[in-house]
Amino acid sequence: MRMQLMTWQEVENYLRTSTGIIIPIGSTEQHGPTGFIGTDALTAEMIAWEVSDITGGLVAPTISIGMAQHHLAFAGSMTLRPSTLIAVIQDIINSLARHGFDRFYFINGHGGNVHTVNAAFSELYAETSLKTASTDRPPIRCVMRNWYMGRAVREVSNEIFGDDEGSHATASEIALTYFKYPEDSARIAQFNLDPPRAPEGNIYDAEDYRSQFPDGRIGSNPSRANAEIGARLMKCAVTEMADDYRDFVDKA
Ligand code: NI
C-alpha cells in the first residue's frame, strides 16, 4: 500500500492495526553513462513497494533527493545539504508521529545518505531525551537499511559481478533499474564504457570527483548489468527486508 494512493480515512484505519511505516530514501544524481539519474530513489522505492505487498506495511512518499554534494559537477545532480536533509527527515517523522506512527523503517538506496540519516535519527531521539518533542508524540524508533548491503544481495553480487560491482553506479543497482524500467534502459544500456571498469578512490567535493572519475562511475563495470540479474537481486533484497520489517514492527 502506497500512502499516496490512499485516502486519509484509509490511513486512519491502517493505524488501528499497525503503527509501522516504510520510507524509501534515495538520491537524484548521475550514475555514469549507463545509469539513470534517479537510480538510488528508483531502487529504494521499487523494493519498498514489494516489501509492502508482502508485509502489508504502508509506504510513505519517496524522499528522492538526498545528500549528494559530491555529484554536483554532473548535469542533473541535485543535493540537500546535510543540515537540510536532517531537517527534512525530522519534519517528515514528526508529521507522521502526530498521527500515531512510531516505527519508521527507512529503505535507503544511496551511500551518501547514511551519515546524515543517522544524524537525523539522533536529533529525533534527542528531542525525546531532552523533552523538547511534542508531549503527545509517541516513543519512536527509526532504522535504516541499505538494500545493497543485505547479506543475500551481497552474495549474489559477489558471485555474479565480483570486483565489477564497484562503489558508485554499481552493477547491482543498475541491474535493478534495468529490470524495472526496460524501455528506458534499452536507450542507454549500449553505451560503450571506457574503461570498462572505472577507477577506485576517495570522494571529496564535486570538482574533485569529476576530475578523478570523469564519466561519474567509481570502481564499477555496469556493462555487466541486465534485467535478469536485476530480478534476482530484487528478490533477495525484498525477501530479506520483508522479514526484517516484520521483526522491527513486531518487537515490543
Ligand atoms: Ni547509486
Side-chain angles (χ1 to χ4, degrees):
M1 285 174 294
R2 293 163 57 181
M3 197 166 71
Q4 283 176 300
L5 302 176
M6 295 165 70
T7 66
W8 71 264
Q9 290 93 338
E10 288 175 314
V11 176
E12 203 166 77
N13 282 336
Y14 171 88
L15 279 160
R16 295 196 180 100
T17 60
S18 176
T19 53
I21 189 160
I22 301 163
I23 305 178
I25 181 167
S27 183
T28 298
E29 69 192 38
Q30 65 81 20
H31 274 77
T34 63
F36 301 119
I37 288 195
T39 297
D40 296 351
L42 297 172
T43 52
E45 71 187 11
M46 69 191 267
I47 292 165
W49 296 339
E50 282 208 16
V51 169
S52 169
D53 289 344
I54 294 173
T55 62
L58 189 62
V59 183
T62 305
I63 304 173
S64 295
I65 301 174
M67 210 306 285
Q69 61 77 19
H70 45 294
H71 291 288
L72 285 182
F74 297 90
S77 299
M78 301 165 75
T79 193
L80 300 179
R81 284 172 291 168
S83 53
T84 311
L85 181 56
I86 289 170
V88 167
I89 291 171
Q90 280 180 282
D91 285 357
I92 288 171
I93 290 185
N94 279 322
S95 301
L96 293 167
R98 192 183 193 283
H99 310 306
F101 290 99
D102 62 3
R103 295 285 191 281
F104 301 92
Y105 190 88
F106 282 66
I107 295 182
N108 178 41
H110 174 53
N113 286 340
V114 170
H115 293 305
T116 306
V117 172
N118 280 319
F121 293 169
S122 293
E123 288 284 354
L124 284 150
Y125 295 138
E127 291 170 357
T128 312
S129 303
L130 292 165
K131 300 190 184 298
T132 58
S134 163
T135 49
D136 61 357
R137 192 176 83 178
I140 60 170
R141 290 184 189 172
C142 310
V143 296
M144 174 182 49
R145 301 289 187 246
N146 305 308
W147 71 262
Y148 48 89
M149 296 298 288
R151 190 184 49 79
V153 169
R154 298 297 311 154
E155 276 174 17
V156 171
S157 159
N158 285 337
E159 173 203 322
I160 296 177
F161 299 129
D163 291 341
D164 280 343
E165 169 73 355
S167 52
H168 182 68
T170 66
S172 290
E173 62 183 343
I174 287 179
L176 248 71
T177 59
Y178 285 7
F179 162 61
K180 181 78 174 173
Y181 299 98
E183 285 166 25
D184 292 288
S185 67
R187 193 187 74 243
I188 61 174
Q190 300 312 316
F191 187 92
N192 192 25
L193 293 168
D194 180 27
R197 190 195 297 172
E200 283 283 0
N202 293 326
I203 303 171
Y204 301 97
D205 65 24
E207 301 308 327
D208 177 78
Y209 185 119
R210 183 150 180 170
S211 68
Q212 286 195 75
F213 311 106
D215 78 1
R217 296 172 297 143
I218 303 179
S220 68
N221 178 6
S223 68
R224 305 270 316 276
N226 63 47
E228 192 185 346
I229 302 169
R232 194 173 156 199
L233 287 162
M234 173 79 179
K235 191 157 196 265
C236 293
V238 168
T239 306
E240 293 189 308
M241 290 213 184
D243 287 344
D244 189 54
Y245 176 74
R246 282 199 196 94
D247 288 347
F248 175 63
V249 292
D250 288 348
K251 196 164 184 180

